[in-house]
Amino acid sequence: MEGLFDISLILSAFGGGLFGAALGGLPSFILCGFITLMGEAVALAGGPATVTTEIAFGTFFGPHIGFAGGVAAAAYAAKKGHTAGRDILTPLVKFGKWDILLVGGIFGILGYFIQGFFAGIGTPTDTIALTVVISAVIARLLWSDTGVFGKHDPKKSNSRWNVPESIAWLPFQMKAGQLIMVGLGVGLASSYISLLTGSAVIGFGIAASSLIILQVMGAGPVTHHIALPAALAALATNSIIVGGIFGVVGAFVGEFFARLFYDWGDTHIDPPAAAIATLTAVIILFL
């Protein structure tokens, strides 16, 4: 954890979290995806990995800082009556409230330290994804009325696992057939790219960038929790088949966490981040 208390990095994390809140959580994450692709292009051309490691996953656009700052600020803004707590699409700067942006900055610093701690002790998982989940849980505990796992409403469904489309995370991507198809397709494609280039995050970058379709159109494939575990599994085993299997598993694990944390809650706890953290741990420990 040497360097964790570098004042420049701490201040930068504050700025990254604040900017993530101003942009909104999802727009910040989409930019992370585009910058990841730029960084990997630079690296493949023989340049340094700095763009990927220090900008896309650093204190400016790292999801544990920018996205997490936006998620927390949305939860706070909801408590103040400005928007819905699960709204990660709206640029929160539109409300003209300095305190909402300040919350994003504070959670940027929080994400910086949480991720730095888990990375520093060698936690066998994707510590950025793990931090995104922990940060969102903290925000829910602070500003939600539903608790960590949400509140099941028996008037809407007889089981918390049988979620009506009206409250589902992704109503167009929640049924088994759709999960298998999306998981298999993205998993195989991401696996092939990773084996071809040696990069685990090009598929992730493409998936994250493609969320611009969801942001603009209101519906679109959410697949970064499929692409990244698939790429990691393919690289660990040198097998596109294993990668494809992990793609399908990633799709189902993401949906599981949606029903566990998101669907019955009133703030955003990110199902893809939970899936990535879980499956990365499995890959590190068992493949």
Side-chain angles (χ1 to χ4, degrees):
M1 286 185 275
E2 185 179 354
L4 185 60
F5 291 94
D6 185 314
I7 189 64
S8 295
L9 289 173
I10 296 170
L11 292 174
S12 180
F14 176 81
L18 191 154
F19 190 51
L23 287 172
L26 188 61
S28 174
F29 187 72
I30 292 169
L31 287 174
C32 168
F34 280 113
I35 296 168
T36 298
L37 294 178
M38 292 169 52
E40 291 304 282
V42 171
L44 288 173
T50 308
V51 175
T52 298
T53 59
E54 302 303 321
I55 301 178
F57 297 116
T59 53
F60 207 158
F61 286 103
H64 58 304
I65 292 174
F67 176 77
V71 167
Y76 172 80
K79 197 66 176 178
K80 294 292 184 179
H82 298 295
T83 186
R86 304 200 310 187
D87 178 13
I88 61 171
L89 279 70
T90 299
L92 300 176
V93 72
K94 71 175 285 186
F95 299 117
K97 301 291 184 182
W98 64 268
D99 51 331
I100 295 175
L101 304 184
L102 178 63
V103 168
I106 291 171
F107 269 75
I109 295 176
L110 182 66
Y112 167 78
F113 276 111
I114 293 174
Q115 191 275 331
F117 169 76
F118 282 117
I121 64 173
T123 307
T125 187
D126 184 321
T127 55
I128 289 179
L130 177 63
T131 300
V132 168
V133 176
I134 293 173
S135 176
V137 168
I138 293 172
R140 180 170 288 183
L141 289 173
L142 287 174
W143 297 304
S144 165
D145 296 321
T146 62
V148 174
F149 299 104
K151 287 183 179 178
H152 170 237
D153 184 353
K155 296 179 180 177
K156 294 182 177 178
S157 170
N158 58 1
S159 167
R160 70 174 294 119
W161 302 106
N162 183 25
V163 178
E165 292 186 3
S166 60
I167 63 169
W169 170 46
L170 302 172
F172 47 86
Q173 188 181 309
M174 63 181 291
K175 296 179 181 176
Q178 188 81 327
L179 293 173
I180 292 172
M181 290 295 101
V182 173
L184 183 63
V186 175
L188 289 172
S190 181
S191 297
Y192 177 73
I193 292 174
S194 69
L195 293 172
L196 186 67
T197 64
S199 169
V201 296
I202 291 179
F204 168 87
I206 293 171
S209 303
S210 73
L211 289 172
I212 196 170
I213 298 170
L214 174 66
Q215 175 79 29
V216 174
M217 304 294 291
V222 178
T223 58
H224 50 291
H225 59 301
I226 296 168
L228 184 54
L232 292 171
L235 288 172
T237 61
N238 199 34
S239 169
I240 189 174
I241 301 298
V242 174
I245 292 170
F246 266 81
V248 174
V249 173
F252 277 91
V253 173
E255 181 59 25
F256 166 77
F257 281 118
R259 300 184 190 206
L260 181 65
F261 289 126
Y262 181 92
D263 291 339
W264 299 101
D266 59 355
T267 65
H268 185 95
I269 296 179
D270 197 55
I276 290 171
T278 301
L279 292 180
T280 301
V282 170
I283 292 165
I284 292 173
L285 295 174
F286 299 108
L287 295 187

